[in-house]
């Protein structure tokens, strides 16, 4: 076989090997995830894979978070249950809660916000001295909320039946439909 013929065969074999290598799925099931808590320590869930890395400002995203954006811990609970979660100290936590999905959430050391859509979306929420805000849009979306010690508590009950159970507001800071508001008095927003 002539040199040009050999070169053509070698190039054809190289092309076949390259195409075959690209079609092999090397992804391990050990690193598949739906949310960051599915991943081992030091990894975050990105596009269904647990990957190493840092999020915003060099801080590692805590395992309680679905994802992090700068100093905010985003917790996606619209389609999965989030129970007995403590917002990590030093982070602001933003919870997105579907029907019956956010239960026994502890924000006593952190600033938190909740978007509560669906029946019983946000139940047994404990806020601390930092700002705490809940938007309750559906029937019985929020219940058993304790933000009595918050420096700024807003529990927005969109309709008269959006909030059920006990909602404890700071003294004098009761809002419409049984919620809490920072508007009624100057003492309702004392955050620095």
């Amino acid at each position: 076989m002539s040199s040009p013929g050999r070169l053509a065969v070698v190039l054809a074999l190289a092309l076949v090997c390259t195409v075959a290598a690209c079609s092999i799925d090397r992804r391990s099931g050990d690193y598949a995830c739906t949310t960051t808590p599915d991943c081992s320590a030091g990894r975050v869930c990105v596009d269904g894979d647990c990957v190493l890395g840092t999020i915003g400002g060099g801080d590692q995203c805590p395992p309680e978070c679905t994802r992090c954006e700068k100093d905010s811990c985003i917790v996606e609970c619209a389609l999965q249950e989030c129970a007995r979660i403590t917002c990590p100290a030093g982070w602001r936590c933003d919870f997105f809660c579907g029907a019956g999905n956010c239960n026994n959430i502890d924000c006593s050391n952190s600033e938190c916000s909740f978007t509560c859509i669906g029946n019983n979306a946000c139940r047994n929420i404990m806020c601390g001295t930092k700002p705490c805000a809940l938007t309750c849009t559906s029937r019985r979306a929020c219940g058993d909320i304790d933000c009595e010690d918050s420096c700024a508590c807003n529990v927005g009950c969109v309709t008269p039946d959006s909030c059920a159970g006990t909602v404890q507001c700071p003294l004098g800071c009761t809002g419409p439909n049984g919620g809490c508001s920072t508007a009624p008095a100057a003492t309702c927003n004392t955050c620095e």
Side-chain angles (χ1 to χ4, degrees):
M1 184 182 282
S2 65
S3 289
R6 281 189 195 140
L7 182 59
V9 170
V10 169
L11 289 175
L13 285 173
L15 180 62
V16 168
C17 290
T18 301
V19 171
C22 289
S23 67
I24 296 171
D25 185 4
R26 291 184 178 89
R27 193 163 75 172
S28 168
D30 295 342
Y31 296 104
C33 62
T34 304
T35 63
T36 296
D38 297 337
C39 300
S40 60
R43 294 182 179 271
V44 294
C45 188
V46 177
D47 297 328
D49 294 312
C50 295
V51 297
L52 290 172
T54 56
I55 308 292
D59 292 327
Q60 221 169 35
C61 193
E64 297 87 349
C65 313
T66 305
R67 69 181 189 284
C68 294
E69 295 174 4
K70 296 190 181 184
D71 61 348
S72 289
C73 167
I74 313 299
V75 187
E76 298 282 356
C77 309
L79 301 175
Q80 66 180 6
E81 183 178 5
C82 296
R84 293 174 175 55
I85 292 178
T86 299
C87 181
W91 290 81
R92 170 196 161 90
C93 286
D94 298 311
F95 289 85
F96 296 91
C97 307
N101 284 348
C102 288
N103 294 294
N104 301 306
I105 307 296
D106 184 351
C107 287
S108 57
N109 295 316
S110 307
E111 178 178 349
C112 287
S113 74
F114 294 82
T115 302
C116 308
I117 301 171
N119 290 348
N120 304 310
C122 298
R123 310 293 293 174
N124 300 313
I125 307 298
M126 171 64 79
C127 299
T129 58
K130 296 186 178 185
C132 196
L134 290 92
T135 303
C136 313
T137 60
S138 305
R139 185 171 180 264
R140 294 188 332 263
C142 297
D144 299 326
I145 311 299
D146 182 358
C147 66
E148 188 173 21
D149 297 326
S150 174
C151 64
C153 176
N154 281 298
V155 178
C157 305
V158 176
T159 64
D161 64 352
S162 292
C163 293
T166 305
V167 178
Q168 296 176 324
C169 305
L171 186 62
C173 303
T174 302
N177 299 322
C180 304
S181 176
T182 56
T187 58
C188 293
N189 188 349
T190 60
C191 299
E192 297 178 329

